[in-house]
Structure formats: C-alpha cells, structure tokens
C-alpha cells in the first residue's frame, strides 16, 4: 500500500507480523514438546500434532499426552502453566491476526486529523480490541517471546518420560548418541571427541 498513510500501514503490518511470528514460534515449541513427550519424530510427529485444526486443540493434545506418558508432576504442572499462559495471550494474537484494519484520515481516539490505522468495521469485530491496540499487540509479542523462552527452558530441563509401551524410548538422535557412547566412539570424559546429534 503506497501513498496516504503508507508509513502508518507499514508499521502496523510489521507489528502484526511480529505477533504472528512470535505465535508461530510458540507453536513450533509445542511441536518440540510433543516430540519430547512421545519420542515420535517428524514427519509423523508433524502429521499427528497438526491434525487438530485449531491451536487450542493442539494445546489440549499436549496436555493429554503429558498425562498419558505419566510425566512427573512438577514438569507436568509447569507445562500446564505454560499452556495456560498461551491460552491467555491467544485472544490478543487472534485480534492482531484476524481484525480487519484500514486507514483513516481522522483519529477517533485523539480527535486529530492524521493518517491513522483503525478497525475497518464500524462496530469492531471483537469488543476485546482496545482503543490502543498497538500497545495491546506489543504486549502480546513480548508475552509470546517470554513464553517461547520458557518453553525452551522447559524442554532443556525436563527429562524424557518413561514410556510404558514398546517403541523408541527417546528421540532417534538421542538414541544414536547413546549407541555411540556404548560403542566407545564417543567419550564423556573427552570433550574433543566427535559428536553429532
């Protein structure tokens, strides 16, 4: 979009893009959690995890899997809190991604005449959209970035659960690393030994 309000439109589009990318990053982290819990790797993990057609259904799938693998209670509780945080920020992400916006020559909030991004519909699609939606979307992006970091921390500090069924006890890369350790091709004491995971 060029001409009138182009700068404002580009800034708004960039902010919506940042929220969307931050959300997608968290969804990718949840796919990694699914793999961590089940030992199933891509592309099969992708096919299962993305079968539910909504993000909230994917989060409920993670909860059910964590119960099914009998994940230790402290790890399960922290995962549930992270999923709850995603539930809370989902509305802001949805507002950023799905609200129809346009350009106005008049700012209805400040009463000033200037190029302004506004909801395109006379009655906003969702009453949870604040007048200062720019701050609302910035908060969403910051919250999502923190959740992404905390999901990474959860993955690093949560051991693979014991799995009471036959099949790979852990992701393939980890199993291969253990096989190399057992074969003596990798030494835990020698940090210079070749490691590929």
């Amino acid at each position: 979009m060029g001409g009138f309000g182009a700068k404002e439109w580009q800034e708004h589009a960039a902010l919506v893009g940042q929220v969307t990318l931050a959300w997608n990053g968290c969804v990718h982290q949840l796919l990694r959690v699914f793999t961590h819990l089940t030992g199933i790797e891509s592309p099969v993990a992708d096919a299962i995890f993305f079968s539910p057609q909504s993000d909230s259904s994917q989060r409920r799938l993670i909860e059910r899997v964590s119960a099914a693998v009998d994940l230790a209670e402290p790890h399960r509780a922290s995962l549930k809190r992270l999923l709850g945080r995603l539930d809370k920020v989902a509305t802001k992400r949805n507002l950023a991604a799905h609200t129809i916006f346009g350009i106005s020559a008049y700012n209805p909030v400040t009463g000033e005449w200037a190029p302004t991004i506004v909801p395109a519909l006379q009655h906003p699609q969702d009453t949870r959209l604040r007048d200062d939606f720019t701050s609302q979307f910035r908060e969403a992006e910051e919250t999502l970035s923190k959740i992404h970091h905390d999901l990474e921390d959860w993955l690093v500090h949560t051991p693979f659960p014991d799995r009471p069924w036959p099949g790979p006890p852990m992701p393939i890369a980890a199993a291969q690393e253990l096989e190399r350790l057992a074969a003596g091709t990798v030494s835990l004491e020698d940090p210079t030994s070749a490691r590929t995971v």
Side-chain angles (χ1 to χ4, degrees), residues 109 129-138:
V109 176
L129 185 70
R130 297 192 318 227
D131 286 340
D132 185 8
F133 51 81
T134 298
S135 293
Q136 190 176 20
F137 295 167
R138 282 195 187 112

Side-chain angles (χ1 to χ4, degrees), residues 79-185:
L79 179 59
K80 187 170 185 174
R81 284 192 296 274
L82 286 164
L83 294 172
R85 287 167 60 193
L86 276 172
D87 288 341
K88 286 180 183 175
V89 76
T91 296
K92 291 179 185 175
R93 173 267 176 181
N94 290 340
L95 289 170
H98 300 300
T99 301
I100 301 170
F101 288 99
I103 300 269
S104 173
Y106 176 73
N107 187 326
V109 176
T110 65
E112 297 174 0
W113 289 92
T116 306
I117 304 296
V118 294
L121 302 180
Q122 188 174 16
H123 299 289
Q125 295 158 257
D126 193 317
T127 56
R128 292 171 291 187
L129 185 70
R130 297 192 318 227
D131 286 340
D132 185 8
F133 51 81
T134 298
S135 293
Q136 190 176 20
F137 295 167
R138 282 195 187 112
E139 290 167 12
E141 192 275 331
E142 290 169 8
T143 300
L144 288 165
S145 294
K146 289 176 186 170
I147 294 171
H148 185 279
H149 174 271
D150 292 344
L151 282 166
E152 183 68 30
D153 189 63
W154 186 92
L155 283 160
V156 168
H157 293 99
T158 302
F160 296 118
D162 294 327
R163 297 182 181 90
W165 58 84
M170 62 185 69
I172 294 167
Q176 290 171 341
E177 183 74 1
L178 287 176
E179 287 174 15
R180 285 194 289 275
L181 280 169
T185 57

